[in-house]
Amino acid sequence: MRLTLIQSPNAEPLTADEVRERLNIGSEVTDAALESFIASSRLGLDGVDGYLGRALITQTWRGTLDGFPSYYDHHHCGHAIVIPLPPLQSINSITYVDGSGATQTIEDGDYQIVPGPRPYIVPAYGKSWPPARFQRDAVEIEFVAGYGDNGSDVPEPIRCAIALQVSQFRSLSSRDQNVMIDNVVGVGSKTYTTGRDGGADALTAAAMALVSSYRVLV
């Protein structure tokens, strides 16, 4: 299924104030910077290109197929169409191009949504998918996915992982974060470097450990 984002999320899993509290960040970092870090961290996990392969905050997508399935799906009984980017909230519409080239809409009662970790749709009892014209993107499914409209709807481990990634972005964007100076009164000072990359790797590993169980595996 080829996917196109129709409506982006209207919120982020964390606000700038929530990140400040979690990471003990003061006024030295602006809200704009934190919001940019939060969005970048979320995009690394969210949506079709994200590590998790799922939707976090409510968003609308269009999926297109060259036709309806006409074979026995090895995961489910019936002619199933798996809806990507769980959790699925709703199906807005299913349309297709018929043999004459006209666009038709499938009525809600003609298909069934089967919820679960990998939600899918099948024809309703006694129904079947109609014949679609043999062409590219003959079938379009518009659907809404995500845990909810608010950041608090997102599972806490994912929110924690985003906070950890924000911490990493903040560290990498700070000047001389890998330079440490020890000052000893009456003796002098010593300057040395720390392993910034090692710290970043540790943060990334911690974030991935938090979200690994949420990853959708094909």
Side-chain angles (χ1 to χ4, degrees):
M1 183 181 290
R2 293 173 289 279
L3 294 171
T4 302
L5 180 63
I6 303 301
Q7 178 63 55
S8 301
N10 289 324
E12 295 291 346
L14 291 167
T15 65
D17 286 342
E18 287 173 326
V19 166
R20 287 187 192 280
E21 182 176 355
R22 287 171 182 250
L23 301 178
N24 194 26
I25 297 174
S27 58
E28 72 278 5
V29 183
T30 65
D31 280 358
L34 287 177
E35 288 165 359
S36 175
F37 295 157
I38 293 166
S40 297
S41 300
R42 187 259 304 167
L43 287 170
L45 300 174
D46 185 36
V48 67
D49 295 319
Y51 175 78
L52 294 182
R54 62 174 61 244
L56 301 182
I57 303 294
T58 300
Q59 50 200 267
T60 304
W61 289 82
R62 178 186 299 120
T64 59
L65 302 165
D66 294 339
F68 290 105
S70 58
Y71 56 88
Y72 184 89
D73 185 276
H74 70 282
H75 290 297
H76 312 292
C77 292
H79 304 308
I81 300 175
V82 176
I83 305 298
L85 305 178
L88 175 66
Q89 292 187 22
S90 63
I91 301 290
N92 285 348
S93 63
I94 303 176
T95 61
Y96 68 98
V97 180
D98 67 16
S100 66
T103 299
Q104 306 290 344
T105 299
I106 296 182
E107 298 296 328
D108 293 348
D110 289 344
Y111 63 89
Q112 176 186 356
I113 299 173
V114 182
R118 297 298 303 275
Y120 60 94
I121 55 176
V122 292
Y125 179 78
K127 301 288 185 177
S128 60
W129 296 127
R133 188 175 186 176
F134 185 71
Q135 68 173 54
R136 192 75 165 173
D137 297 335
V139 177
E140 290 189 357
I141 302 172
E142 186 174 298
F143 62 94
V144 180
Y147 288 100
D149 297 340
N150 304 307
S152 58
D153 296 321
V154 177
E156 184 59 23
I158 298 177
R159 301 178 83 207
C160 283
I162 290 173
L164 285 174
Q165 292 300 107
V166 169
S167 178
Q168 179 178 331
F169 283 136
R170 180 200 176 203
S171 176
L172 293 174
S173 65
S174 298
R175 186 178 63 181
D176 295 335
Q177 287 293 306
N178 61 331
V179 177
M180 302 295 293
I181 301 176
D182 277 346
N183 292 297
V184 180
V185 177
V187 176
S189 64
K190 179 181 179 180
T191 302
Y192 58 94
T193 60
T194 62
R196 174 188 287 182
D197 290 341
D201 289 344
L203 278 174
T204 299
M208 292 303 100
L210 282 168
V211 301
S212 60
S213 64
Y214 292 93
R215 191 178 189 192
V216 176
L217 299 176
V218 178

